[in-house]
Amino acid sequence: MSFHYFAGHAFRALTAQKDGPSLYDVCDPVLAGPATGDPHLAKFYKTALGNPALRALLRRAGLPDLRDEARLTRLRAALTRARDDAEPDWEAVGRPVADLLDTIALDHPKPPPTPFNDAAPALAEIDNVIRDCAHHLLRSYRQNGFLPTYAAFNLIGDPDLRGRELIMALTGLNSRGYKNSSLLFNLARVFIARSSARAIINPPWRGIAEPMWEPVQIRHRSAYYDAFFIEALLAYGETGLASPAEATAAKTAIADMVDFCINISREEVMGADGRRFDVITALAPSPHPRFSRFFAQIKQDLGFGVYVPDCDTTACSFSAATQAGSEDPILAQPLLDFYAGYQVREGVNEPRVTVPLNDNIDYEGGVATWIDNLAGERPYGNDLDPTLNLDILEVSFRNLARWKILETPARLATVHRIIAFQKRLAASGAFANPRSHVYYLPELYSAYFGRCYAAFLSLPLAAQAAIDPDGTFDFIRARVLGYVQGEMLVAEMNAFDAALALIALGHLGADPKTFAPALNCIVRALGEGGRRGPFRAYEWNKMKTPTRILVGGPEVTSAFVLMGLAVARKVMAGRG
């Protein structure tokens, strides 16, 4: 977006006619004075919503609905109960905010169609982009001592989180601080979405994955991110394009990241059967996440004080370590025994999913996200994401023999239930609906299915038959390919979308001629990142609560572009 775009919309926001009470008219009488009751609510309000820049932008954003004195009084009373009650009734507290939330209209991106370009760029151009991305990753690692990822807030929130889903979050989350931040962020969403500030906070963009507008905000390190950076550097090595010095540098970085994933980020937890397991936490103890002192305090103030392990970070870390050739004893643990305790079984443990934001899908057979730590803490309640379950299948295929999955009926049954969960998702078409996903885009699900499918095809035929006797993987493959070719490739894309398309197309055995739109998109976009890298920062994954928090970064885009081009290059050379 140009300077003139932001300047014009900022002028309109700052000079708009105020039509009813603003966010600050509502909250200041309750939360701006001396703290009483739960101190976090007022602290969060002053830190996140009361900062001078946002206050200036929203001070004239009034809601005519709140000119109704009775409605305004109910809203303030709800905020007062959230502040003062020892055990608030969160459904009652959230209801006035949920009713306002249902007055806003947000939509997922709908990129316009674009002509199909069947002339792919030359192999030399593809190789140059691969090298640029690898050079960016290795340079960033050398400069920082790790590969950073960033988190950024989009205060307008997620289109799928409306009043009903807010009540789900307030009643299903366990951390009071997280409930506080969800309540106030979602109240602010209403004033943003119904004012001129909307155009500044949520400007339009090209493609599906949302760009992370400058400044990219919170730099940090996580085992989940390191796992995919490992895969990207391994992919670079497989292309044969690395110089001897680069190969050595990549090997050093990979070894460090493997250690970070399976040692530094390791945490012991209790399985459902009483056994103890070593799993991987998404945020290792300080100072390993590499937050600045300022953002470490902000994280605390926003309600992210306790971070627990999760099933996805564990699966991806184990997978990356396996691909890198690690023989660490942690990998000998049959993770499926642990995951079975978090697998939803209809009528048995369905309440395990306490925040069912995507309850349009059938959870039977899926594995939930968050892992209780040894202290029994579960700040985020629990949810269930389809893409996470692909990662569990992928790591299981890579460790099929090590974990004796085919020889252990209970482990094989856990795999079969996850596959059945994925089949229902594909058969219904729900995988293509953004609402079905808690942390990811359908486009990313498609790429991750390709990654999972490639691991499946690497197994002996007898093992494939035992795992998938009904041909479910080929059924899902057809559905995902149809989505990528019929939806993604015929519409406007950005570089991250294009990388995801290539990962899916290459792994799923698509005709190389269909790669052209994605390849051309990436080659055209090269250089868009300016001084930060070859490409801009885009949305990799997200959180829908407490508001829409995007995670990505320039290094992330380089990693995914590198992986997408490496897969495409291999297929185009006839080696797929």
Side-chain angles (χ1 to χ4, degrees):
M1 292 292 106
S2 68
F3 168 80
H4 295 290
Y5 172 91
F6 286 105
H9 286 290
F11 177 79
R12 281 186 278 279
L14 295 172
T15 59
Q17 181 177 354
K18 188 177 176 185
D19 189 14
S22 71
L23 174 67
Y24 306 105
D25 295 329
V26 172
C27 295
D28 278 356
V30 181
L31 300 174
T36 62
D38 174 27
H40 175 264
L41 189 70
K43 187 174 187 179
F44 175 85
Y45 172 68
K46 294 169 186 174
T47 301
L49 303 183
N51 70 80
L54 191 61
R55 188 177 278 268
L57 197 61
L58 294 181
R59 69 185 182 88
R60 304 191 66 81
L63 292 185
D65 317 50
L66 298 180
R67 290 197 304 240
D68 179 342
E69 193 63 34
R71 193 167 190 181
L72 176 60
T73 300
R74 283 195 300 273
L75 181 56
R76 282 192 182 138
L79 294 174
T80 302
R81 289 197 300 274
R83 182 194 68 190
D84 292 344
D85 290 0
E87 297 289 340
D89 179 343
W90 286 102
E91 183 166 0
V93 165
R95 179 50 56 197
V97 178
D99 291 342
L100 286 173
L101 203 55
D102 283 335
T103 67
I104 68 176
L106 298 174
D107 297 307
H108 292 284
K110 295 181 177 64
T114 187
F116 187 92
N117 183 348
D118 59 358
L123 184 60
E125 291 184 277
I126 295 171
D127 287 352
N128 285 338
V129 179
I130 291 175
R131 287 192 183 96
D132 282 351
C133 290
H135 294 166
H136 177 217
L137 294 178
L138 294 173
R139 182 175 67 250
S140 180
Y141 179 84
R142 185 173 62 251
Q143 292 171 347
N144 296 294
F146 72 106
L147 285 170
T149 305
Y150 301 82
F153 292 85
N154 183 336
L155 295 180
I156 204 162
D158 194 275
D160 293 318
L161 205 146
R162 299 180 58 79
R164 174 174 173 268
E165 289 74 28
L166 172 62
I167 298 299
M168 286 180 182
L170 293 177
T171 56
L173 297 166
N174 289 345
S175 162
R176 183 161 184 171
Y178 206 71
K179 292 172 189 265
N180 288 341
S181 54
S182 295
L183 179 71
L184 290 183
F185 265 140
N186 280 280
L187 178 59
R189 290 177 62 202
V190 182
F191 291 88
I192 293 167
R194 292 177 56 180
S195 72
S196 301
R198 173 180 181 144
I200 300 171
I201 289 172
N202 196 52
W205 67 86
R206 179 186 183 93
I208 297 291
E210 182 174 342
M212 298 172 66
W213 305 104
E214 294 282 4
V216 175
Q217 294 178 1
I218 306 175
R219 189 183 80 161
H220 60 297
R221 184 181 192 182
S222 164
Y224 181 78
Y225 316 146
D226 274 22
F228 283 91
F229 289 135
I230 289 168
E231 291 196 17
L233 292 179
L234 288 172
Y236 184 48
E238 291 173 1
T239 64
L241 298 174
S243 69
E246 288 173 336
T248 299
K251 186 176 180 180
T252 299
I254 288 168
D256 169 64
M257 290 189 286
V258 168
D259 181 64
F260 183 83
C261 286
I262 61 176
N263 287 315
I264 292 172
S265 301
R266 183 185 305 205
E267 183 173 341
E268 188 179 55
V269 298
M270 187 79 72
D273 59 2
R275 283 188 288 164
R276 294 201 172 198
F277 287 83
D278 286 328
V279 297
I280 310 301
T281 188
L283 281 184
S286 180
H288 298 296
R290 300 295 190 102
F291 288 115
S292 70
R293 185 178 302 174
F294 173 73
F295 280 123
Q297 185 59 51
I298 291 290
K299 180 177 81 76
Q300 201 78 11
D301 293 344
L302 295 185
F304 292 92
V306 176
Y307 223 93
V308 293
D310 66 273
C311 291
D312 208 5
T313 299
T314 301
C316 293
S317 296
F318 275 51
S319 174
T322 301
Q323 293 177 66
S326 173
E327 293 294 335
D328 192 287
I330 192 176
L331 300 178
Q333 294 179 122
L335 275 184
L336 285 169
D337 292 354
F338 176 77
Y339 286 140
Y342 282 83
Q343 187 171 46
V344 173
R345 302 188 186 189
E346 189 175 5
V348 178
N349 66 344
E350 285 179 292
R352 178 171 289 284
V353 181
T354 64
V355 190
L357 299 179
N358 55 344
D359 62 354
N360 58 304
I361 66 173
D362 178 3
Y363 296 141
E364 163 64 23
V367 175
T369 303
W370 298 102
I371 299 170
D372 298 3
N373 63 19
L374 279 180
E377 293 171 305
R378 192 187 304 165
Y380 312 116
N382 225 323
D383 49 52
L384 195 152
D385 190 276
T387 308
L388 176 157
N389 282 265
L390 292 176
D391 292 335
I392 293 173
L393 291 176
E394 192 264 354
V395 73
S396 298
F397 299 155
R398 293 195 183 278
N399 290 279
L400 192 78
R402 191 192 319 236
W403 295 348
K404 295 182 167 45
I405 292 173
L406 299 184
E407 298 86 348
T408 311
R411 293 170 193 164
L412 185 58
T414 299
V415 170
H416 284 159
R417 281 193 290 271
I418 298 174
I419 293 173
F421 164 75
Q422 299 290 354
K423 183 177 183 178
R424 291 192 302 275
L425 199 72
S428 66
F431 79 93
N433 181 354
R435 185 168 182 267
S436 303
H437 304 272
V438 180
Y439 299 106
Y440 305 97
L441 296 167
E443 291 70 21
L444 194 119
Y445 174 91
S446 301
Y448 280 31
F449 176 75
R451 174 174 168 269
C452 180
Y453 186 77
F456 173 73
L457 289 187
S458 71
L459 299 174
L461 291 177
Q464 293 182 33
I467 290 167
D468 183 23
D470 302 322
T472 293
F473 269 91
D474 284 335
F475 172 80
I476 301 174
R477 171 189 173 274
R479 295 301 180 99
V480 171
L481 265 182
Y483 177 73
V484 174
Q485 294 175 330
E487 299 288 337
M488 293 181 67
L489 296 183
V490 299
E492 183 181 74
M493 291 183 287
N494 58 47
F496 201 84
D497 301 337
L500 298 179
L502 288 175
I503 292 170
L505 293 169
H507 283 318
L508 298 180
D511 186 335
K513 293 179 182 177
T514 64
F515 298 177
L519 292 171
N520 284 313
C521 173
I522 288 171
V523 170
R524 283 196 305 268
L526 182 65
E528 67 176 13
R531 61 181 178 81
R532 298 185 63 88
F535 299 96
R536 296 184 61 183
Y538 291 95
E539 166 192 359
W540 173 13
N541 55 72
K542 64 179 180 290
M543 296 183 74
K544 295 185 176 183
T545 58
T547 188
R548 185 170 167 82
I549 304 175
L550 306 179
V551 176
E555 287 85 356
V556 169
T557 308
S558 287
F560 274 85
V561 168
L562 193 163
M563 288 191 283
L565 293 180
V567 170
R569 184 181 189 276
K570 186 175 181 179
V571 174
M572 292 164 72
R575 295 183 288 114

